Amino acid sequence: MKVKLWVEDGATVFFKDRGRFQSSYLNEGVPILLFSRTLTEQLLFTFYNLTFCIMINQRGNAVWDGDIKGSGNITTQSGTVSAPYSVGARFEGQKGTNPEELIGAAHAGCYTMFLTGQLTKAGAQVKQIRTESKVTLDTSGDVPKVVKIVLTTEGEVEGISQQEFQKQAENAKEHCPISQLLSAVPEMELASATLK
């Protein structure tokens, strides 16, 4: 299987996704080495200030049966999530998942991974990071709106002070991909970042 990449000068680079090194060429004939492990893994490498990257697409799906009194099912591309949802589950506490809960889980997962990466890069020894992302849905208006997200995180980390942990936690809140995606939410705060 081949993957096609475009670079800024319009040249095309090909490589096979078979876990092998092989040489490809830009328009000017400069060779580069490319390496791929899987098509679902992002590759990022630089040659003469040109950066090549495979963009990752991940999919979520939903099926709804019947009118608004009906119910549906939410699934993920990986198949690891398959959950029922309904108006009752979203607004009345009935059994099932809901979009806000899934947003909170995605945000907590992304934030925790991003924070762990920062701490590792800083030389700290991370044993465990635990994060909650609480998503508030306001139903008082004409249409429901997500108005607030509150993060709380705590970590078992060696080789770092509470002050530095707080700084890294705040940075992760601002820069993890899902935090950036959720930047339209009026209020997002890091309620606590506790180093155990």
Side-chain angles (χ1 to χ4, degrees):
M1 187 174 187
K2 289 187 175 181
V3 177
K4 192 175 184 180
L5 302 174
W6 283 267
V7 294
E8 293 178 2
D9 65 357
T12 302
V13 178
F14 290 92
F15 66 96
K16 292 182 179 179
D17 181 53
R18 289 291 180 263
R20 300 173 183 170
F21 284 97
Q22 66 179 46
S23 183
S24 299
Y25 292 84
L26 301 180
N27 281 344
E28 65 272 24
V30 178
I32 60 174
L33 286 175
L34 305 176
F35 178 58
S36 171
R37 281 178 283 183
T38 68
L39 285 178
T40 57
E41 177 179 318
Q42 184 176 15
L43 302 176
L44 189 64
F45 46 90
T46 304
F47 183 81
Y48 286 151
N49 295 321
L50 293 176
T51 300
F52 304 84
C53 182
I54 294 177
M55 306 302 291
I56 300 173
N57 294 311
Q58 302 287 4
R59 294 172 177 82
N61 298 90
V63 175
W64 188 271
D65 297 313
D67 61 15
I68 195 62
K69 295 180 180 179
S71 62
N73 198 69
I74 293 175
T75 59
T76 56
Q77 178 179 321
S78 65
T80 56
V81 175
S82 179
Y85 78 119
S86 65
V87 171
R90 190 174 192 183
F91 299 108
E92 300 167 8
Q94 295 179 12
K95 187 177 180 179
T97 190
N98 57 77
E100 291 71 40
E101 178 180 72
L102 295 171
I103 289 169
H107 191 201
C110 182
Y111 174 90
T112 302
M113 184 182 290
F114 192 93
L115 176 58
T116 301
Q118 288 187 142
L119 294 169
T120 302
K121 187 177 180 180
Q125 302 298 312
V126 181
K127 292 185 176 180
Q128 188 179 74
I129 303 289
R130 294 176 293 276
T131 303
E132 177 185 88
S133 174
K134 183 170 68 175
V135 179
T136 300
L137 182 69
D138 184 357
T139 62
S140 63
D142 294 335
V143 294
K145 293 182 180 180
V146 174
V147 295
K148 187 176 182 180
I149 296 175
V150 177
L151 286 161
T152 57
T153 191
E154 62 179 29
E156 296 178 31
V157 186
E158 296 179 354
I160 194 171
S161 66
Q162 172 61 47
Q163 183 179 6
E164 180 62 21
F165 184 73
Q166 179 75 36
K167 178 181 176 181
Q168 296 283 16
E170 290 285 356
N171 186 64
K173 178 181 76 75
E174 297 297 325
H175 296 106
C176 90
I178 301 300
S179 283
Q180 294 181 61
L181 177 68
L182 297 172
S183 61
V185 176
E187 186 178 354
M188 184 185 297
E189 69 171 282
L190 178 63
S192 66
T194 306
L195 187 62
K196 294 291 187 180

